[in-house]
Coordinates of all heavy atoms in Angstrom, one line a residue:
R819 N 91.6 83.0 65.7 CA 90.9 84.1 66.3 C 89.4 84.0 66.2 O 88.9 83.7 65.1 CB 91.4 85.4 65.6 CG 91.1 86.6 66.4 CD 91.8 87.8 65.8 NE 91.2 88.1 64.5 CZ 91.8 88.6 63.5 NH1 93.1 89.0 63.7 NH2 91.3 88.8 62.3
K820 N 88.7 84.2 67.2 CA 87.2 84.1 67.2 C 86.6 85.3 66.6 O 87.0 86.4 66.8 CB 86.7 83.8 68.6 CG 87.2 82.5 69.2 CD 86.8 82.3 70.6 CE 87.2 81.0 71.2 NZ 88.6 80.7 71.3
P821 N 85.5 85.1 65.9 CA 84.8 86.2 65.3 C 84.0 87.1 66.4 O 83.9 86.6 67.5 CB 83.8 85.6 64.4 CG 83.6 84.2 64.8 CD 84.9 83.8 65.5
D822 N 83.6 88.3 66.0 CA 83.0 89.2 66.9 C 81.6 88.6 67.4 O 81.2 88.9 68.5 CB 82.7 90.5 66.3 CG 84.0 91.3 66.0 OD1 85.0 91.0 66.7 OD2 84.0 92.1 65.1
C823 N 81.0 87.8 66.6 CA 79.7 87.2 67.0 C 79.8 86.0 67.9 O 78.8 85.4 68.3 CB 78.9 86.9 65.8 SG 79.6 85.7 64.7
F824 N 81.0 85.6 68.3 CA 81.2 84.4 69.1 C 80.4 84.4 70.4 O 80.5 85.4 71.1 CB 82.7 84.3 69.4 CG 83.1 83.0 70.1 CD1 83.3 81.8 69.3 CD2 83.2 82.9 71.4 CE1 83.6 80.6 69.9 CE2 83.5 81.7 72.0 CZ 83.7 80.5 71.3
A825 N 79.6 83.4 70.6 CA 78.8 83.1 71.8 C 77.7 84.1 72.0 O 77.2 84.2 73.1 CB 79.7 83.0 73.0
C826 N 77.3 84.9 70.9 CA 76.2 85.8 71.0 C 75.0 84.9 70.6 O 74.8 84.6 69.4 CB 76.4 87.0 70.1 SG 74.9 88.0 70.1
L827 N 74.1 84.6 71.5 CA 73.1 83.6 71.3 C 72.1 84.1 70.2 O 71.7 83.3 69.4 CB 72.3 83.3 72.6 CG 71.4 82.1 72.5 CD1 72.1 80.8 72.3 CD2 70.6 82.0 73.8
E828 N 71.7 85.3 70.2 CA 70.8 85.8 69.2 C 71.3 85.9 67.8 O 70.6 85.9 66.9 CB 70.3 87.2 69.6 CG 69.4 87.2 70.9 CD 68.2 86.2 70.7 OE1 67.6 86.2 69.6 OE2 67.9 85.5 71.7
T829 N 72.7 85.8 67.7 CA 73.3 85.7 66.4 C 73.5 84.3 65.9 O 73.2 84.0 64.8 CB 74.7 86.5 66.4 OG1 74.5 87.8 66.9 CG2 75.3 86.5 65.1
V830 N 74.0 83.4 66.8 CA 74.3 82.1 66.4 C 73.1 81.1 66.5 O 73.1 80.0 65.9 CB 75.5 81.5 67.2 CG1 76.7 82.4 66.9 CG2 75.2 81.4 68.6
F831 N 72.1 81.5 67.2 CA 70.9 80.6 67.4 C 69.6 81.4 67.5 O 69.0 81.4 68.6 CB 71.1 79.7 68.6 CG 70.4 78.4 68.6 CD1 70.3 77.6 67.5 CD2 69.8 78.0 69.8 CE1 69.7 76.4 67.6 CE2 69.1 76.8 69.8 CZ 69.0 76.0 68.7
P832 N 69.3 82.2 66.5 CA 68.2 83.1 66.6 C 66.8 82.4 66.5 O 66.7 81.3 66.0 CB 68.3 84.1 65.4 CG 69.0 83.2 64.4 CD 70.0 82.3 65.2
M833 N 65.8 83.1 67.0 CA 64.4 82.6 66.9 C 64.0 82.7 65.5 O 64.0 83.7 64.9 CB 63.5 83.3 67.9 CG 62.1 82.8 67.9 SD 62.0 81.3 68.9 CE 62.2 81.9 70.5
A834 N 63.5 81.6 64.9 CA 63.0 81.6 63.6 C 61.5 81.7 63.6 O 60.8 81.7 64.6 CB 63.4 80.3 62.8
E835 N 60.9 81.7 62.4 CA 59.4 81.7 62.3 C 58.9 80.4 62.9 O 59.5 79.3 62.8 CB 59.0 81.8 60.8 CG 59.4 83.1 60.2 CD 59.1 83.1 58.7 OE1 58.4 82.2 58.2 OE2 59.7 84.0 58.0
G836 N 57.8 80.5 63.6 CA 57.2 79.3 64.2 C 57.6 79.1 65.6 O 57.2 78.1 66.2
G837 N 58.5 80.0 66.1 CA 58.9 79.9 67.5 C 60.0 78.9 67.8 O 60.3 78.7 69.0
L838 N 60.6 78.4 66.8 CA 61.8 77.5 67.0 C 63.1 78.2 66.7 O 63.1 79.1 65.8 CB 61.6 76.2 66.2 CG 60.5 75.3 66.5 CD1 60.4 74.2 65.6 CD2 60.5 74.8 68.0
R839 N 64.2 77.8 67.3 CA 65.5 78.4 67.0 C 66.2 77.6 65.9 O 66.0 76.4 65.8 CB 66.3 78.5 68.3 CG 65.7 79.4 69.3 CD 66.6 79.6 70.5 NE 66.0 80.6 71.4 CZ 66.3 81.9 71.3 NH1 67.1 82.4 70.4 NH2 65.7 82.8 72.1
N840 N 67.0 78.4 65.2 CA 67.6 77.8 64.0 C 69.0 78.4 63.8 O 69.1 79.6 64.0 CB 66.8 77.9 62.8 CG 67.2 77.1 61.6 OD1 68.1 76.2 61.8 ND2 66.6 77.3 60.5
T841 N 70.0 77.6 63.5 CA 71.3 78.2 63.2 C 71.4 78.7 61.8 O 71.0 78.0 60.8 CB 72.4 77.1 63.4 OG1 72.3 76.6 64.7 CG2 73.8 77.7 63.2
P842 N 71.8 80.0 61.6 CA 71.9 80.5 60.2 C 72.9 79.8 59.3 O 73.9 79.2 59.9 CB 72.3 82.0 60.4 CG 72.2 82.2 61.9 CD 72.2 80.9 62.6
E843 N 72.8 79.9 58.0 CA 73.7 79.3 57.1 C 75.1 79.8 57.3 O 76.1 79.0 57.2 CB 73.2 79.6 55.7 CG 72.0 78.9 55.3 CD 72.2 77.4 55.2 OE1 73.2 76.9 54.7 OE2 71.2 76.7 55.5
K844 N 75.3 81.1 57.5 CA 76.7 81.6 57.7 C 77.4 81.0 58.9 O 78.6 80.9 58.9 CB 76.7 83.2 57.8 CG 76.0 83.7 59.0 CD 76.0 85.2 59.0 CE 75.3 85.7 60.3 NZ 75.5 87.1 60.5
C845 N 76.6 80.7 59.9 CA 77.2 80.0 61.1 C 77.6 78.6 60.8 O 78.6 78.1 61.4 CB 76.3 80.1 62.3 SG 76.1 81.8 62.9
L846 N 76.9 77.9 60.0 CA 77.2 76.5 59.6 C 78.5 76.4 58.9 O 79.2 75.4 59.0 CB 76.1 75.9 58.8 CG 74.7 75.8 59.5 CD1 73.7 75.2 58.6 CD2 74.9 74.8 60.7
A847 N 78.9 77.4 58.2 CA 80.2 77.4 57.5 C 81.4 77.8 58.4 O 82.5 77.5 58.0 CB 80.1 78.4 56.3
C848 N 81.1 78.3 59.5 CA 82.2 78.8 60.4 C 82.8 77.5 61.1 O 82.1 76.6 61.6 CB 81.7 79.7 61.4 SG 82.9 80.3 62.6
H849 N 84.1 77.5 61.3 CA 84.8 76.4 61.9 C 84.7 76.5 63.5 O 85.1 75.6 64.1 CB 86.2 76.2 61.4 CG 87.1 77.3 61.7 ND1 87.2 78.5 61.0 CD2 88.0 77.5 62.7 CE1 88.1 79.3 61.5 NE2 88.6 78.8 62.6
H850 N 84.2 77.6 64.0 CA 84.0 77.8 65.4 C 82.6 77.4 65.9 O 82.3 77.6 67.0 CB 84.3 79.2 65.8 CG 85.7 79.7 65.7 ND1 86.7 79.2 66.5 CD2 86.3 80.5 64.8 CE1 87.9 79.7 66.2 NE2 87.6 80.5 65.1
K851 N 81.8 76.9 65.0 CA 80.3 76.8 65.2 C 80.0 76.0 66.5 O 79.2 76.4 67.3 CB 79.6 76.3 64.0 CG 79.9 74.9 63.7 CD 79.1 74.4 62.5 CE 79.5 73.0 62.1 NZ 80.4 73.0 61.0
T852 N 80.6 74.9 66.7 CA 80.3 74.0 67.8 C 80.7 74.7 69.1 O 79.9 74.8 70.1 CB 81.0 72.6 67.7 OG1 80.6 72.1 66.4 CG2 80.6 71.7 68.8
E853 N 82.0 75.1 69.2 CA 82.5 75.8 70.4 C 81.7 77.1 70.7 O 81.4 77.4 71.9 CB 83.9 76.2 70.2 CG 84.6 76.8 71.3 CD 86.0 77.3 71.0 OE1 86.5 77.1 69.9 OE2 86.7 77.8 71.9
C854 N 81.3 77.8 69.6 CA 80.5 79.0 69.8 C 79.1 78.8 70.4 O 78.7 79.4 71.3 CB 80.4 79.7 68.4 SG 79.4 81.2 68.4
L855 N 78.5 77.8 69.8 CA 77.1 77.5 70.3 C 77.2 76.9 71.8 O 76.3 77.3 72.6 CB 76.4 76.5 69.4 CG 75.0 76.2 69.6 CD1 74.2 77.5 69.6 CD2 74.4 75.3 68.5

Side-chain angles (χ1 to χ4, degrees):
R819 198 173 63 210
K820 295 177 176 64
D822 293 335
C823 61
F824 187 82
C826 176
L827 192 64
E828 290 304 320
T829 303
V830 299
F831 204 45
M833 185 74 74
E835 295 173 16
L838 297 177
R839 292 188 176 269
N840 194 6
T841 304
E843 290 292 324
K844 65 179 181 173
C845 290
L846 293 176
C848 180
H849 64 278
H850 291 291
K851 68 180 175 260
T852 304
E853 181 185 1
C854 176
L855 191 53

